[in-house]
C-alpha cells in the first residue's frame, strides 16, 4: 500500500481537474482495499474511491479525507466466464475478450476507466450495457463490514444506474464477473443503428468481433471519446449528461416545445424506455438549444467533435467546467422544458 499526503488528484482524472486530497492511498490487492476502507470508516474519515477517474468531477479545493485509488490487477478467463479485478483497465479487458473470441462487451471498446466502475454506472454504449453480461459483483459491504457477492439481479441495474450508485457510501467493488458468449468469432447481434450503418449490416446481424470493436473505436474517436493526451477534446468525462427519460405527459409537453421552437416538421429523437416512458437525446437537446460543437470562449468548452462532452482545453478549473455545465442545463431547460442530469460523480461541488 502506497500513501501520500496533500496529494494532487487532477492527474488521476480524465478531466485533469480538481484539488489535492488530504491523503491518497493506492491499494494493489483486495486486502489492501478493504484495510484502507476499514481504517477510514473506523476513524470517521471521509472516503473517496477512485478507479480510472473517467467519471469524476472533483472540486478545486480538493478532498478533505482519504482518497483510495484502486490499482488491483487480475483478468481470468474460464470458458465463457470473465473475472476482472476492480482496478483492471476496462478497454484492455475488452480487447482481451475479443482476442479470445468471446462476445458481449465488444461494443464497449474504448470506454475509459476501470472495470470496477462499470457496474456502478451500468456502463453502456453502442447498444450494449454491462448489465446484460454481469453475473456477479464481489464487493466490500461497509455497513456489514464484510465481503459480499451480489448477483446481477441483486445489482438493481437500470439506465446508467445501479444499487451501487443509489447507495454510494455502502459498497466498494472488488471484482466483477461476466458471462460472455462463444459465437464462433462473431459479435453479439448489432443493436445500435449507427454501428450497423458503419459496419454496412442490418440491426440484428452479427459481424466478426475484431471488426465490431474496430468500428466502435473509430466511431468513438471521431467524437473525441477515446483518450488522447494530445487532444483536448478527450480531456472530458465522455458524455457529461444522461439521455432524459420522460413520461408520456412530459414527452408530449416537450414535443410541443420542439414544434413551437423549431417548426411543425421537426421530430425530436424518441426511443422506448419502459412502459409509459420515452427516452430522448441529450446531445440533440444541447445542439438545438444553441450549444453547438466547440461552444464557449473560455478554458472549458463543449467538444469540437461532440456536443455531449464538456472539455478542459488545458487551463480550466473545475469552476470553469461547472459554469459551462450550468449554462447548458439552464439553456436546455428554457428551450425545451427538460432538465439535464449530469452523468459524472461530483466531489465537493454540484451543479
Amino acid at each position: 500500500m502506497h500513501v501520500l499526503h496533500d496529494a494532487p488528484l487532477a492527474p488521476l482524472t480524465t478531466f485533469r481537474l480538481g484539488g489535492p486530497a488530504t491523503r491518497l492511498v493506492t491499494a494493489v490487492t483486495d486486502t489492501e482495499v478493504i484495510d484502507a476502507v476499514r481504517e477510514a470508516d473506523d476513524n470517521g474519515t471521509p472516503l473517496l474511491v477512485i478507479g480510472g477517474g473517467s467519471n469524476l468531477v472533483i472540486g478545486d479545493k480538493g478532498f478533505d479525507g482519504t482518497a483510495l485509488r484502486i490499482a488491483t490487477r487480475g483478468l481470468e478467463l474460464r470458458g465463457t466466464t470473465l473475472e476482472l479485478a476492480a482496478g483492471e483497465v476496462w478497454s484492455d479487458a475488452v480487447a482481451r475478450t475479443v482476442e479470445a473470441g468471446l462476445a458481449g462487451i465488444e461494443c464497449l471498446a474504448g470506454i475509459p476507466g476501470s472495470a470496477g466502475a462499470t457496474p456502478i454506472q451500468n456502463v453502456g454504449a453502442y447498444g450494449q450495457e454491462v448489465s446484460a453480461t454481469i453475473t456477479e459483483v464481489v464487493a466490500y459491504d461497509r455497513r456489514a463490514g464484510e465481503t459480499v457477492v451480489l448477483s446481477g439481479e441483486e445489482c438493481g441495474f437500470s439506465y446508467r444506474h445501479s444499487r451501487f450508485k443509489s447507495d454510494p457510501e455502502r459498497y466498494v467493488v472488488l471484482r466483477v464477473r461476466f458471462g460472455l458468449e462463444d459465437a464462433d468469432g462473431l459479435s453479439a447481434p448489432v443493436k445500435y443503428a449507427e454501428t450497423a450503418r458503419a459496419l454496412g449490416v442490418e440491426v440484428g446481424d452479427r459481424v466478426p468481433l475484431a471488426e465490431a470493436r474496430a468500428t466502435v473505436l473509430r466511431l468513438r474517436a471521431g467524437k473525441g471519446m477515446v483518450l488522447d493526451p494530445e487532444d483536448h477534446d478527450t480531456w472530458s468525462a465522455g458524455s457529461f449528461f444522461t439521455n432524459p427519460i420522460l413520461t408520456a405527459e412530459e414527452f408530449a409537453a416537450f414535443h410541443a416545445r420542439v414544434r413551437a421552437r423549431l417548426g411543425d416538421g421537426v421530430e425530436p429523437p424518441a426511443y422506448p424506455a419502459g412502459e409509459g416512458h420515452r427516452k430522448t437525446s441529450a446531445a440533440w437537446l444541447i445542439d438545438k438549444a444553441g450549444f453547438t460543437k466547440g461552444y464557449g470562449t473560455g478554458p472549458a468548452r463543449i467538444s469540437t467533435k461532440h456536443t455531449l462532452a464538456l472539455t478542459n482545453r488545458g487551463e480550466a478549473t473545475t469552476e470553469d467546467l461547472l459554469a459551462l455545465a450550468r449554462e447548458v442545463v439552464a439553456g436546455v431547460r428554457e428551450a425545451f422544458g427538460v432538465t439535464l442530469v449530469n452523468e459524472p460523480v461530483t466531489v465537493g461541488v454540484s451543479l
Side-chain angles (χ1 to χ4, degrees), residues 176-261:
V176 189
R177 295 170 182 152
F178 301 81
L180 304 178
E181 179 189 8
D182 185 348
D184 294 325
L186 296 179
S187 70
V190 176
K191 294 183 178 179
Y192 200 66
E194 182 184 12
T195 315
R197 287 194 300 269
L199 286 162
V201 300
E202 298 295 323
V203 171
D205 289 348
R206 294 177 184 262
V207 299
L209 277 164
E211 187 177 347
R213 175 177 176 269
T215 298
V216 166
L217 287 173
R218 186 168 64 253
L219 290 171
R220 290 185 64 86
K223 300 173 183 178
M225 299 291 187
V226 177
L227 292 181
D228 178 353
E230 303 302 317
D231 183 359
H232 284 288
D233 278 330
T234 74
W235 290 32
S236 75
S239 299
F240 195 87
F241 300 104
T242 57
N243 291 323
I245 295 177
L246 308 175
T247 65
E249 183 179 356
E250 290 168 341
F251 191 87
F254 161 58
H255 194 213
R257 296 280 287 265
V258 170
R259 286 180 297 184
R261 182 180 178 91

Side-chain angles (χ1 to χ4, degrees), residues 32-90:
E32 289 183 354
V33 171
I34 293 169
D35 287 347
V37 173
R38 282 177 171 163
E39 180 184 4
D41 289 347
D42 289 347
N43 294 331
T45 304
L47 180 70
L48 170 64
V49 178
I50 300 177
S54 60
N55 203 43
L56 281 179
V57 178
I58 298 173
D60 293 316
K61 292 182 179 179
F63 183 70
D64 185 12
T66 294
L68 170 60
R69 179 171 172 258
I70 298 182
T72 54
R73 292 291 183 267
L75 182 155
E76 185 176 358
L77 277 168
R78 300 183 300 277
T80 57
T81 299
L82 168 69
E83 179 173 302
L84 298 174
E88 276 292 324
V89 177
W90 173 252

